[in-house]
Amino acid sequence: MTRVLIVEDEPSFVEALEVALAAEGFDTEAAMDGKAGLERFRAQRPDLVLLDLMLPSLPGLDVLRAIRRDSDVPVVVVSAKDAEADIVAALELGADDYVTKPYSVRELVARIRAAGRRTVGSVETETLALGGASLDTGSLKLRLGDVDHDLPKKEFEVLQMLMQRPGKVVTREEFLDEVWGFAWIGDTRTLDQHIRRIRRRLETDPAAPQIETVRGVGYRLVEGER
Ligand code: CA
């Protein structure tokens, strides 16, 4: 059974989540502030963490940072903060997904399932190369010129899909299905934010491929020619 740690200081949210997740077959535990959440995480090693950001004793982003120091556990941030800067900060610290409050329970459960079944690297290792960029699916590193970059897992998976099909359009639905495991639930800003961050990385090497936006459809990777 999947054990979900809920770190949330609002009792009514905790209760609603416990009921909804139990009905979906998850085993839940809750911690009501940041420090307790981190202690609970370290003691019990849950399969997934639902993390609020505005928490007493230790802010959610600090909890996330501490978790990521020694764990790859899926973390879904659930927060009333809906500014892009907050979402980007959480994703950059290694959150797997970000759901804004108020949320629909069905959506949240779908996202939890998706985060839980994400594939942590693939079994077979391959190196994908295009222009000045190469991607190693074993080490999850992006090499640009002579420099290796460690990519957050979702960013790696998005880039991997593009590099597997250079010159071809990868649709938004395909990204969502394969990287996040759900189709068109809620907003899809997460994908655009990942693309933006990948673009910023690729820009450091003029020989690296470029990501083109295919409006209304998806994205395409083409050999760089800046
Ligand atoms: Ca809160």
Side-chain angles (χ1 to χ4, degrees), residues 202-215:
L202 295 178
E203 278 165 11
T204 62
D205 181 349
Q210 287 176 274
I211 299 174
E212 288 180 351
T213 302
V214 183
R215 198 167 286 281

Side-chain angles (χ1 to χ4, degrees), residues 7-10 13 32 52-56 78-80 101:
V7 187
E8 164 72 67
D9 60 321
E10 173 53 53
F13 279 131
M32 306 285 282
D52 184 23
L53 291 187
M54 290 183 276
L55 289 167
V78 181
S79 176
K101 295 174 184 171

Side-chain angles (χ1 to χ4, degrees), residues 32-37 55-59 62-63:
M32 306 285 282
D33 67 71
K35 275 193 180 143
L55 289 167
S57 82
L58 190 65
D62 290 344
V63 176

Side-chain angles (χ1 to χ4, degrees), residues 13 56 69 75 80 110 115 119 125 134 145-146 161 164 166 181 215 223-224:
F13 279 131
R69 261 184 231 129
V75 176
T119 47
T125 296
S134 66
D146 293 330
M161 285 185 73
Q164 278 165 342
R215 198 167 286 281
E223 235 171 307

Side-chain angles (χ1 to χ4, degrees), residues 40-87:
R40 195 56 92 78
F41 171 77
R42 286 178 173 151
Q44 312 203 327
R45 296 285 156 173
D47 301 310
L48 189 139
V49 179
L50 273 187
L51 181 63
D52 184 23
L53 291 187
M54 290 183 276
L55 289 167
S57 82
L58 190 65
L61 287 183
D62 290 344
V63 176
L64 175 57
R65 194 177 288 120
I67 288 175
R68 276 293 170 263
R69 261 184 231 129
D70 70 342
S71 169
D72 237 6
V73 66
V75 176
V76 176
V77 169
V78 181
S79 176
K81 292 182 163 193
D82 61 357
E84 187 175 84
D86 294 312
I87 299 174

Side-chain angles (χ1 to χ4, degrees), residues 147-166:
V147 184
D148 279 334
H149 302 261
D150 285 306
L151 297 195
K153 195 156 297 141
K154 295 290 185 212
E155 239 176 273
F156 185 93
E157 290 174 4
V158 167
L159 184 55
Q160 183 179 4
M161 285 185 73
L162 287 164
M163 288 191 68
Q164 278 165 342
R165 290 151 64 181

